[in-house]
Amino acid sequence: MSRTAILVGCARLPEGDGDEAGAQLALADVGVGTRWAVWDDPGEDFTDADLVILRATWDYSARRDAFLDWCASVAALRNAADVVRWNTDKAYLLDLAGAGIPIVPTQLLGPGDAPDWPDGDVVVKPSVGAGSRGAARFGTAQRAEATAHLSSLREAGHSVLLQPYQHDVDREGETALVFFGGGYSHAFTKGAMLTGAQYDESGLFVTEKLGLAEPEAAYRALAEDVLDATAARFGIGRSELLYARVDVVRTDGGTPAILELELAEPSLGFRQAGPGSAARFASAVRRELG
Ligand SMILES: Nc1ncnc2c1ncn2[C@@H]1O[C@H](COP(=O)(O)OP(=O)(O)O)[C@@H](O)[C@H]1O
Ligand SMILES: [Mg+2]
């Protein structure tokens, strides 16, 4: 039986950013055909697809409701629509904190909520956003600018996250730990993003500085705990998460904490991690296809 997986991009990146090329080869090796499609292309029909894998739908943040409606209409979507709904609003961080996971200290400011400014540098960012868009860092002498940014995000209809800036991001970067089918695959580092960095030509994400990582045990254990907490929240087995990326930073206190959990459309670092990672992804996809 021939099986096909559809990889999903967006109009400005209809075939992603190139990171999936190795994964497509690895899928072909195990008998899975792939093709790319754009999520909101009216000429596409996803209803009868064997498997539909979100990969580069990075334009959803301005149209999240329409995107989530589309997700709910695709039965074979991975990750599943309810997981994507929860994970595309960074309010999920507070759910993880409630489950005992250490997160970067986070205030979620809805309309009318007053900020309680942390000491030192802060990050102000939209609760729905990706690719570092709308995220900005402000020093203690820039409260007026930070307040103006907060207001402008709210005027655009966003809830806002306020966090203390984690200085280790400037030294060590953040570490992204990648899981396929609930099992650990590999990790990569991402350099600091709020440094006046350049946007990709698509305008959808800030160009990233990536490298392969061998995370220490505390990072590995924390990421495993996040997978368990997520599976428990949805009442599913970890293997039902086709892919997951757990972004860990070292807090100013020295302990690791979660900056993000990415279950919707994370870059998975195939280029950094090499063919072994693509083969593990291909095996997880095969298992989904049954
Ligand atoms: N509290 C923070 N401390 C240090 N850096 C941060 C913090 N929040 C965000 N950043 C930087 O901004 C980038 C984008 O923020 P992030 O929360 O990862 O949102 P997204 O990747 O969804 O746009 C991160 O990769 C990191 O470099
Ligand atoms: Mg991020």
Side-chain angles (χ1 to χ4, degrees):
M1 192 179 82
S2 87
R3 304 171 173 93
T4 302
I6 301 179
L7 309 180
V8 191
C10 58
R12 272 188 277 172
L13 289 166
E15 300 198 347
D17 66 358
D19 196 46
E20 272 73 27
Q24 289 184 268
L25 293 175
L27 283 160
D29 285 346
V30 296
V32 179
T34 51
R35 69 179 181 88
W36 282 90
V38 171
W39 70 271
D40 56 352
D41 178 350
E44 274 294 347
D45 183 3
F46 295 91
T47 38
D48 293 328
D50 299 326
L51 194 63
V52 180
I53 307 174
L54 295 175
R55 289 287 69 235
T57 50
W58 296 327
D59 63 355
Y60 76 82
S61 42
R63 292 178 291 153
R64 179 169 174 258
D65 288 345
F67 178 65
L68 292 177
D69 285 349
W70 172 80
C71 288
S73 77
V74 180
L77 192 74
R78 296 295 179 275
N79 286 323
D82 56 341
V83 172
V84 174
R85 174 177 296 277
W86 176 70
N87 187 243
T88 47
D89 183 334
K90 290 187 173 69
Y92 70 76
L93 283 170
L94 301 178
D95 292 343
L96 290 176
I101 300 292
I103 63 166
V104 169
T106 299
Q107 290 174 52
L108 177 64
L109 304 172
D113 291 339
D116 177 9
W117 295 104
D119 291 337
D121 290 7
V122 297
V123 174
V124 176
K125 59 189 170 186
S127 71
V128 175
S132 300
R133 278 178 298 153
R137 173 184 181 173
F138 300 95
T140 39
Q142 296 177 299
R143 285 288 181 266
E145 290 90 331
T147 303
H149 186 56
L150 175 61
S151 301
S152 74
L153 288 173
R154 281 173 157 170
E155 276 159 24
H158 290 287
S159 289
V160 176
L161 262 60
L162 172 59
Q163 297 174 332
Y165 190 80
Q166 304 300 307
H167 292 90
D168 198 61
V169 170
D170 295 333
R171 295 184 287 268
E172 200 182 337
E174 59 191 293
T175 304
L177 294 95
V178 176
F179 292 72
F180 296 133
Y184 177 69
S185 172
H186 62 274
F188 60 97
T189 53
K190 184 157 121 181
M193 301 300 288
L194 304 183
T195 54
Q198 296 296 309
Y199 278 91
D200 169 78
E201 63 188 21
S202 73
L204 293 175
F205 59 90
V206 172
T207 305
E208 299 170 336
K209 296 148 276 184
L210 307 178
L212 195 61
E214 284 291 342
E216 63 194 69
Y219 283 38
R220 293 276 315 278
L222 174 53
E224 296 280 346
D225 288 345
V226 171
L227 271 272
D228 286 343
T230 303
R233 186 189 184 284
F234 287 96
I236 60 176
R238 278 170 53 155
S239 63
E240 290 180 58
L241 300 170
L242 176 60
Y243 52 85
R245 197 185 90 196
V246 185
D247 292 347
V248 179
V249 297
R250 193 181 306 284
T251 60
D252 291 353
T255 55
I258 300 302
L259 182 63
E260 272 195 281
L261 163 64
E262 295 250 23
L263 299 169
E265 26 61 278
S267 296
L268 295 170
F270 290 116
R271 271 178 296 212
Q272 282 69 38
S277 64
R280 288 185 289 274
F281 178 69
S283 180
V285 169
R286 268 295 298 259
R287 187 165 57 185
E288 285 282 339
L289 285 164

